[in-house]
Amino acid sequence: MSHLSPLLKQSSRVCADHGQGSWLYDTDGKAYLDFTSGIGVTSTGHCHPTVVAAAQEQVGKMIHAQYTTVTHRPMLELTDRLVEKMPAGLDSIALSNSGSEAVETAMRLARHATRRANIIVFNGGFHGRTMGAASLTTSGTKVRTGFHPMMAGVVVAPYPHSWRYGWSEEQTTEFCLRELDHILKTQTAPDDTAAILIEPVQGEYGYYPANTAFMQGLAERCKQHGILLICDEIQAGYGRTGKFWSHQHFDVQPDILITAKGLASGFPLSAIAASAELMAKGAPGSQGGTYGANAVSCAAALATLKVIEQENLIENAAARGTELWDQLHALQSDYPIISTIRGKGLMLGMEIGKGPNQPMPDVALRLTEAAEAQGLLLLRCGIDGQIVRWLPPLVVTAEEITDAVGRFAKALAEVQP
Ligand code: PMP
């Protein structure tokens, strides 16, 4: 009997032993193409030599230099390098360990800075599992059921899920912005609204990109009412969608940007960025914790950025993403249980079912199990687990994309002969 708590349920049966690039090997030596990337974390692949070397060097030098006691060079260098990647004006960085922590940091800063309490979030958003972050999350009831009451001050607005509504993108966007205006008149007046928090490409709910008209509509309302626009780039950022940040697809500028996952290639690290002026409105010492900005994580993050640049990983994500998109669409013509494919870059979701109202989560589960047997690791997402999601590392090669789709085709043939 395993002593590992079932609270931490695994989606596969694999006991992982080691990893290299896009490949993960189990304790029996079986190789898997890892198209989960540790839920979008191993951006530079498993154990990239540059990241490994940087981490090893830092481990021998200093591991924990507690960042509310002292500063340290890897952290200071990282904040400098991160600011170069941020939208103009977001020149101050606060680091923490996990995505949820960073979301909470952003929320608390927004409340301090505006002296307003409420946060508008979007239906289907996922922002984490801690109580504050879970209160902002509506991607499914799993992170909320049985945990109520949630934090007060959260208002949920519709996200442009045009496929689910069965409307055009334009109609859906108009509806969503109209509803948002209605919410600002009925549920949370602008003067009570600290922030609008959004995933520019929704992750856990089902790999739904927003669109330019919608994102710009949010930005306009934020500007008009002094509300902060917060982009949660934890899953979709750091190159995953073929641009450094996913909001860059929509030509908007957030006031606070949240990042984690791909930031340090697997070492725990997260960050928020805002202008120094905005950061100064938070109370000094009001945030942070014991472990934030670990020196090894920061060294790994610096190496990650170096690899992203030296190996042109953003361009690779865009090019490989197009190949994956095309190859998955080619499968769709043979297998009608693939009802739609969405997403951007190396963040693609494949709905299994007969249209939006007849999801087939049991088939999606059998597909990911059959893919696992074929040596391809995939995750599912969506309310019912009806979506097969594709998120290979940014270092994935064209050959590996074709190899993975070939393995998936075998799984499809097995599940839907
Ligand atoms: N926001 C988004 C968009 C995420 O995808 C996640 C994790 N899946 C989180 C927040 C929470 O991050 P963590 O699990 O590191 O707390």
Side-chain angles (χ1 to χ4, degrees):
M1 190 196 105
S2 166
H3 294 287
L4 181 66
S5 166
L7 297 177
L8 311 172
K9 191 172 174 286
Q10 285 73 46
S11 65
S12 80
R13 281 180 283 264
V14 173
C15 179
D17 181 74
H18 61 284
Q20 193 62 58
S22 306
W23 296 85
L24 201 57
Y25 300 84
D26 72 11
T27 44
D28 297 325
K30 179 172 171 179
Y32 296 86
L33 260 176
D34 181 6
F35 272 38
T36 72
S37 305
I39 325 188
V41 169
T42 53
S43 48
T44 55
H46 290 286
C47 294
H48 192 288
T50 307
V51 176
V52 171
Q56 279 174 339
E57 192 190 335
Q58 187 58 45
V59 165
K61 209 169 167 189
M62 181 178 67
I63 298 171
H64 178 60
Q66 206 282 324
Y67 76 153
T68 57
T69 309
V70 295
T71 59
H72 57 83
R73 205 176 291 156
M75 173 174 71
L76 296 176
E77 258 177 52
L78 179 62
T79 53
D80 287 350
R81 294 289 287 110
L82 276 179
V83 163
E84 291 166 17
K85 297 290 172 197
M86 290 296 163
L90 272 56
D91 55 356
S92 185
I93 308 285
L95 295 141
S96 48
N97 301 290
S98 67
S100 301
E101 269 183 277
V103 166
E104 301 233 358
T105 309
M107 178 179 67
R108 283 199 277 262
L109 174 63
R111 284 179 162 176
H112 264 174
T114 59
R115 306 276 159 204
R116 301 174 181 177
N118 296 343
I119 316 278
I120 296 178
V121 295
F122 294 91
N123 200 359
F126 185 94
H127 301 289
R129 287 184 165 78
T130 54
M131 280 309 285
S135 303
L136 304 166
T137 292
T138 53
S139 58
T141 50
K142 201 159 71 182
V143 299
R144 300 160 72 101
T145 294
F147 300 142
H148 290 276
M150 310 306 285
M151 181 187 74
V154 181
V155 179
V156 185
Y159 190 92
H161 299 134
S162 52
W163 191 70
R164 182 167 73 82
Y165 288 116
W167 302 332
S168 72
E169 186 89 10
E170 207 177 12
Q171 269 176 316
T172 314
T173 300
E174 268 174 32
F175 163 77
C176 291
L177 290 174
R178 211 166 49 235
E179 285 303 297
L180 178 61
D181 289 334
H182 191 251
I183 281 170
L184 288 167
K185 287 186 174 165
T186 55
Q187 296 191 56
T188 174
D191 282 352
D192 290 324
T193 308
I196 290 182
L197 167 63
I198 186 157
E199 285 174 272
V201 179
Q202 280 189 342
E204 307 299 307
Y205 183 77
Y207 286 27
Y208 260 105
N211 62 64
T212 302
F214 182 67
M215 291 298 291
Q216 293 190 349
L218 301 187
E220 273 164 30
R221 283 153 182 82
C222 284
K223 200 166 173 205
Q224 185 188 350
H225 299 301
I227 298 169
L228 299 172
L229 181 62
I230 307 179
C231 286
D232 180 341
E233 293 272 5
I234 289 170
Q235 188 161 165
Y238 241 76
R240 177 136 303 275
T241 64
K243 291 196 186 282
F244 203 94
W245 303 115
S246 65
H247 73 266
Q248 291 170 331
H249 289 285
F250 309 122
D251 203 14
V252 286
Q253 161 102 13
D255 297 298
I256 303 180
L257 184 150
I258 313 174
T259 180
K261 289 200 189 275
L263 175 59
S265 295
F267 288 88
L269 192 65
S270 59
I272 72 160
S275 68
E277 192 192 350
L278 184 67
M279 287 279 190
K281 292 182 180 164
S286 62
Q287 306 243 34
T290 306
Y291 291 109
N294 172 270
V296 184
S297 296
C298 290
L302 283 166
T304 299
L305 269 177
K306 199 188 218 178
V307 173
I308 287 176
E309 281 164 5
Q310 283 177 349
E311 300 185 13
N312 300 317
L313 293 189
I314 312 294
E315 293 77 3
N316 192 59
R320 302 290 82 77
T322 304
E323 289 162 8
L324 183 59
W325 177 271
D326 291 345
Q327 292 181 33
L328 294 182
H329 276 90
L331 280 183
Q332 197 184 10
S333 45
D334 291 336
Y335 293 98
I337 55 165
I338 302 173
S339 51
T340 193
I341 299 163
R342 281 188 302 267
K344 284 195 182 291
L346 292 175
M347 184 174 176
L348 301 185
M350 177 189 258
E351 291 259 2
I352 305 296
K354 292 183 186 154
N357 300 319
Q358 285 188 60
M360 293 179 166
D362 47 329
V363 179
L365 173 62
R366 276 192 281 135
L367 271 174
T368 50
E369 284 172 352
E372 185 180 321
Q374 294 291 341
L376 170 65
L377 284 184
L378 291 167
L379 287 166
R380 291 179 301 134
C381 66
I383 302 177
D384 300 300
Q386 81 280 18
I387 299 166
V388 176
R389 53 171 154 174
W390 297 75
L391 64 165
L394 310 189
V395 292
V396 73
T397 63
E399 293 70 36
E400 286 166 342
I401 294 280
T402 306
D403 185 349
V405 176
R407 288 170 200 246
F408 190 71
K410 288 187 189 149
L412 272 167
E414 225 176 88
V415 171
Q416 190 209 290

